[in-house]
Amino acid sequence: MTDTLMSNGCTTNGPVENGYFKKGCNPFAQTGRSQLQNKRALLNQEIIKKMRMRAGAENLLKATSNNKVREQVVLELSYFNSDLQRLMIQLEGLNSSVDVYQNVQETASIPLIPLGLKETKDVDFSVPLKDFILEHYSEDGSNFQDQIDDLMDLRQACRTPSRNPSGVDLLANYFSQLSFLETRFFSPTRQLGIFFTWYDSFTGIPVCQQNISLEKASMLFNMAALHSQIGTRADRQTQAGLEDAIAAFQKSAGVLHFLKETFTHTPSYDMSPAMLSMLIRLMLAQAQEYMFELITLPGIRNEFFSLLKMAQEAAKVGETYSQVHQSMIQTPIKNNVPFFWTTMSHLKTNHYNSLAHYFVSTALLDHQLTPSDDEDKQEKALSQLYDAMPEGRSPLDILKNKDDRKRIGKAHLQRSIMGHEEAIRTHSCLRHLKERDILSDILQASLKRSLTKFEQNKDDEFTDYMLAPDIISKTEKKAEMEIPAAIKVKVTDLFHRLGPLSVFSAKQRWSAPRTIRLRLQDRDLGFTLKGDVPVQIQSLDPLCPAAAEGLREGDYIVAVGDTECKWLGVSDVMKLLKDVDEEGVNIRVVSMMDSSSQPMPTKSATYCGGLPKTYSMICLAHDEDDKNPKSRKVAKKPSFLSWGLKNKNSSSTLSLPTADFNGPWNRPTYPTSYDESALY
């Protein structure tokens, strides 16, 4: 249940840089978290298998006119839909398994909800990048094999990040490399032929695109998920642990906000604006919950002002969870979010609001206004507790009248009891917590405390209790999004040798390098140089020998003799040219070409449960088990994330679920007839 390795031959928590794996990943960790991810991957594979079989049955149903065959195929379709329903229930169970992410040393803390990592298939960059380097940059792609291997190793390591800051740094490192990769190789006028496949973290439905934006967005989502997992793992019994957890959840919300604002057309629904907005609220609500625990860590003094302050702090936590719950029950979010999440947010809303009412009741019942008390200060504190005072009474009248204090205090106590009872009823719907349920113990203890207080202040005669007003939420420190600096870290461009990125990019078209023989003529080369790096030819004399050999104004010098000059400035290149004798020296130059005549690219294929008959068929033809990339530094493991599906719908964006959702668990009801066969 932590990142500590079990007996599998490895003894370190994180692979070392100069070893077999990169720092920040833990591919062999047999933890509860990794086992959960493996089960999720197997379920994803099984879901795709059933969907492919169902798609085949649908095609057969369209093609045949034999009534017997049609009846049999309709029966088979009902079996496939039933299997898909069962698999989706299992996947929801995995998404609801929050226990494996909690700190194992916690004994009395309410569990929190982390985000699970999105999963992906292996990507082979080798052939497409080498071909592009040869075609676009006119260099031998095999000379960059080590850099390509490093890139593939880095991506592979990002699939198993360790649950600590090193894991976050690893994801940030790859995200920064993707920006270089996009500029170097992903031209707006052609497709590179690299397919990125990522699975929806809630439904397991795959999305495949040639657009590198899907890869970058998914990496940001995983970065936010890892921050949330670090937050749930923190030690909640210490101030340092709680502060680290608050920072982790605020950073998770910040990364999700950055993802929402930067990538606005992600085809996977778990990264849609509506879903991301809900997840941001969830992360901030959990950060606010940690802030409440941080305030209560030293203990709560049974003192009037302290109790009112804690009541408003608890009300703030309840308010934030109420907003989360309202977001979760909106369509179509409620059809994708696990029922466990919705139930937990509703439970915590009731629990923390009940705590707020308990604190107010204790302040009113246990503390009476005495001559030594600051009357004005108490009056001000009580007036700021409600939008409107109970029964129109003034704060000072309530404070001075013992019967009014008791009556209002018991009304708050009654709301506290009712709220805790509702939380316990809600908890009975949660079946994904471990057998020794800490949450159940906390709820029962809270209810018992309120009931005990009620019995202590119970009157012998019947009393018509009033309805206690709502408590105004207030906090000393509100949870805010924090966009971590680690989103964009400084990394070294793996393909640095191709030249300055501002010049040698996929957007620019270049001629093949030409060799020009430079000879002195009257101690003059016939041109001048300009620019930073690389240098350009300017003021070319059309009658000089270099111009006769094909040198043109505006050409970039990429080599002088055997010395590469892509990263050399004017002064450095002049030093290489100053010793040119009568025999001359060879230079290599390239010319920028007009790219306006290039054809517009075809749209990048995207599939989410259905296959357009374009690049998707190519992607499915390469099963992960059949891939054996050469020259890999890491031993290739067969991937369990290969999948495929055929569906009549062809779309470049994600289609939202249209099936009805019935039953107490809000699960998708899969269509049972061929005319309603599309899952997504």
Side-chain angles (χ1 to χ4, degrees):
M1 293 167 64
T2 67
D3 280 342
T4 304
L5 291 180
M6 300 176 69
S7 55
N8 57 2
C10 294
T11 57
T12 58
N13 187 32
V16 295
E17 283 283 2
N18 56 358
Y20 213 55
F21 299 102
K22 292 183 178 294
K23 180 181 179 181
C25 74
N26 207 347
F28 290 150
Q30 297 299 312
T31 66
R33 183 176 68 114
S34 63
Q35 292 171 5
L36 196 66
Q37 290 292 132
N38 291 338
K39 291 179 182 178
R40 189 200 305 268
L42 292 174
L43 273 180
N44 289 340
Q45 186 179 12
E46 191 67 22
I47 288 172
I48 297 306
K49 178 181 177 182
K50 294 297 181 183
M51 293 177 74
R52 293 179 72 179
M53 295 174 67
R54 188 182 68 172
E58 291 169 350
N59 291 336
L60 178 59
L61 195 63
K62 295 176 184 177
T64 183
S65 58
N66 188 303
N67 289 334
K68 266 192 171 182
V69 174
R70 293 179 66 86
E71 290 177 2
Q72 186 174 359
V73 171
V74 170
L75 180 61
E76 291 293 333
L77 281 173
S78 67
Y79 291 151
F80 294 144
N81 289 327
S82 177
D83 288 341
L84 283 169
Q85 183 80 17
R86 174 181 55 82
L87 293 171
M88 284 295 187
I89 292 174
Q90 294 180 24
L91 184 60
E92 180 184 306
L94 293 181
N95 287 329
S96 303
S97 300
V98 299
D99 288 327
V100 298
Y101 296 100
Q102 312 299 315
N103 190 316
V104 293
Q105 298 177 351
E106 295 292 341
T107 57
S109 297
I110 301 176
L112 296 168
I113 299 175
L115 296 180
L117 297 174
K118 287 175 68 70
E119 292 154 3
T120 182
K121 289 174 62 177
D122 287 339
V123 174
D124 187 359
F125 291 103
S126 183
V127 174
L129 293 190
K130 286 193 288 187
D131 288 348
F132 190 87
I133 290 172
L134 178 61
E135 175 187 341
H136 189 79
Y137 296 105
S138 301
E139 296 197 32
D140 187 358
S142 60
N143 294 335
F144 293 85
Q145 185 64 54
D146 288 343
Q147 288 75 19
I148 295 174
D149 288 343
D150 287 340
L151 178 66
M152 295 174 67
D153 288 342
L154 180 59
R155 187 182 192 274
Q156 185 68 16
C158 288
R159 298 179 64 176
T160 55
S162 54
R163 190 167 44 166
N164 51 42
S166 295
V168 177
D169 291 340
L170 178 69
L171 299 182
N173 190 308
Y174 180 62
F175 179 78
S176 297
Q177 285 292 348
L178 288 175
S179 298
F180 287 122
L181 196 71
E182 181 176 22
T183 307
R184 290 279 189 199
F185 298 105
F186 286 80
S187 169
T189 58
R190 58 164 288 184
Q191 298 292 350
L192 193 58
I194 296 176
F195 292 87
F196 301 102
T197 302
W198 287 87
Y199 295 85
D200 190 292
S201 60
F202 297 111
T203 64
I205 302 299
V207 174
C208 180
Q209 278 190 343
Q210 292 194 81
N211 193 339
I212 197 173
S213 293
L214 175 63
E215 182 88 346
K216 296 172 72 175
S218 299
M219 199 54 55
L220 284 176
F221 187 94
N222 277 0
M223 205 181 301
L226 199 57
H227 275 299
S228 72
Q229 293 177 14
I230 292 173
T232 57
R233 190 192 186 192
D235 184 2
R236 299 161 73 173
Q237 306 305 318
T238 64
Q239 180 176 347
L242 287 171
E243 290 174 348
D244 290 343
I246 292 170
F249 277 116
Q250 291 185 142
K251 288 178 181 178
S252 179
V255 175
L256 291 171
H257 178 74
F258 181 79
L259 170 59
K260 176 186 172 185
E261 296 297 317
T262 307
F263 301 93
T264 57
H265 296 92
T266 50
S268 183
Y269 187 73
D270 58 353
M271 296 188 291
S272 65
M275 182 65 79
L276 290 176
S277 296
M278 184 277 294
L279 293 177
I280 291 170
R281 290 192 183 98
L282 175 61
M283 296 300 110
L284 292 178
Q286 297 187 127
Q288 195 69 51
E289 183 177 5
Y290 268 133
M291 289 179 180
F292 176 78
E293 293 185 9
L294 182 61
I295 296 173
T296 59
L297 185 63
I300 303 173
R301 290 185 301 161
N302 191 1
E303 186 265 333
F304 184 82
F305 297 108
S306 177
L307 289 169
L308 293 190
K309 173 188 173 184
M310 295 313 305
Q312 292 188 298
E313 290 283 354
K316 183 63 178 180
V317 180
E319 181 183 63
T320 56
Y321 272 111
S322 177
Q323 294 170 355
V324 172
H325 181 256
Q326 290 301 316
S327 298
M328 287 183 176
I329 61 176
Q330 301 299 318
T331 305
I333 294 178
K334 68 177 182 180
N335 302 333
N336 293 272
V337 171
F339 176 73
F340 176 87
W341 289 24
T342 307
T343 307
M344 278 292 290
S345 63
H346 183 54
L347 182 152
K348 290 190 176 185
T349 300
N350 287 316
H351 174 66
Y352 284 102
N353 284 337
S354 298
L355 284 182
H357 286 289
Y358 174 80
F359 291 137
V360 174
S361 69
T362 303
L364 294 175
L365 293 173
D366 292 0
H367 302 277
Q368 301 297 325
L369 186 64
T370 64
S372 61
D373 292 329
D374 189 334
E375 184 178 294
D376 293 337
K377 187 176 179 182
Q378 285 201 14
E379 181 183 10
K380 181 179 179 181
L382 188 61
S383 65
Q384 294 176 348
L385 193 65
Y386 309 112
D387 283 325
M389 297 303 296
E391 299 182 340
R393 305 295 298 275
S394 68
L396 188 59
D397 289 342
I398 295 174
L399 290 172
K400 289 183 176 181
N401 191 313
K402 182 177 179 180
D403 291 336
D404 284 346
R405 288 177 71 117
K406 186 173 182 180
R407 185 162 174 259
I408 297 173
K410 291 170 71 173
H412 280 290
L413 201 54
Q414 190 177 36
R415 285 198 66 176
S416 175
I417 293 172
M418 293 172 60
H420 284 310
E421 289 175 342
E422 177 62 25
I424 291 173
R425 282 193 296 270
T426 304
H427 176 268
S428 64
C429 299
L430 300 176
R431 61 177 186 176
H432 295 294
L433 294 176
K434 56 188 177 183
E435 293 181 1
R436 184 183 177 280
D437 189 357
I438 296 174
L439 179 56
S440 176
D441 297 340
I442 294 174
L443 296 178
Q444 292 291 346
S446 300
L447 176 61
K448 184 178 180 180
R449 182 176 57 182
S450 295
L451 288 172
T452 301
K453 175 70 70 175
F454 186 81
E455 289 294 327
Q456 292 173 353
N457 294 272
K458 186 177 181 181
D459 294 326
D460 294 334
E461 59 188 32
F462 175 78
T463 304
D464 183 16
Y465 296 110
M466 60 176 286
L467 179 64
D470 292 333
I471 299 169
I472 296 177
S473 64
K474 185 179 179 181
T475 180
E476 289 184 349
K477 185 178 180 182
K478 183 181 178 182
E480 301 285 354
M481 292 181 295
E482 178 184 344
I483 300 180
I487 284 184
K488 294 183 178 180
V489 297
K490 291 184 178 181
V491 295
T492 302
D493 182 10
L494 289 174
F495 300 91
H496 175 85
R497 287 193 291 125
L498 288 175
L501 198 61
S502 59
V503 177
F504 295 99
S505 66
K507 294 182 179 180
Q508 308 289 350
R509 292 186 62 206
W510 300 96
S511 65
R514 308 188 310 278
T515 301
I516 305 294
R517 187 71 176 180
L518 294 185
R519 294 183 177 84
L520 290 176
Q521 185 180 33
D522 298 330
R523 303 181 62 81
D524 185 16
L525 292 174
F527 58 85
T528 59
L529 301 177
K530 72 171 183 177
D532 187 11
V533 287
V535 298
Q536 276 185 286
I537 303 295
Q538 75 168 359
S539 302
L540 177 66
D541 182 357
L543 301 179
C544 71
E549 291 207 14
L551 187 65
R552 297 193 291 268
E553 192 164 323
D555 284 350
Y556 288 87
I557 299 179
V558 296
V560 175
D562 296 329
T563 305
E564 292 286 338
C565 298
K566 289 182 178 179
W567 287 97
L568 297 182
V570 173
S571 60
D572 295 322
V573 175
M574 289 301 298
K575 290 179 182 178
L576 295 175
L577 296 177
K578 71 176 183 178
D579 296 329
V580 176
D581 52 21
E582 294 181 355
E583 294 183 2
V585 64
N586 288 333
I587 65 170
R588 281 187 293 125
V589 298
V590 294
S591 302
M592 188 178 296
M593 301 172 63
D594 182 14
S595 59
S596 60
S597 61
Q598 282 190 301
M600 292 300 293
T602 56
K603 289 184 178 180
S604 175
T606 302
Y607 53 84
C608 313
L611 290 183
K613 296 181 180 179
T614 53
Y615 305 110
S616 305
M617 303 308 296
I618 303 173
C619 182
L620 286 181
H622 296 279
D623 192 82
E624 297 296 336
D625 293 337
D626 298 331
K627 287 185 178 180
N628 291 302
K630 299 180 181 179
S631 304
R632 289 300 308 276
K633 294 181 180 178
V634 181
K636 187 69 176 177
K637 296 183 293 184
S639 171
F640 41 66
L641 295 177
S642 57
W643 72 280
L645 168 66
K646 200 169 184 180
N647 191 290
K648 64 181 179 181
N649 292 329
S650 174
S651 175
S652 60
T653 57
L654 177 68
S655 300
L656 299 181
T658 57
D660 293 331
F661 286 73
N662 302 318
W665 293 91
N666 292 332
R667 300 190 191 100
T669 302
Y670 291 91
T672 57
S673 60
Y674 69 91
D675 57 344
E676 295 179 337
S677 59
L679 173 62
Y680 280 84

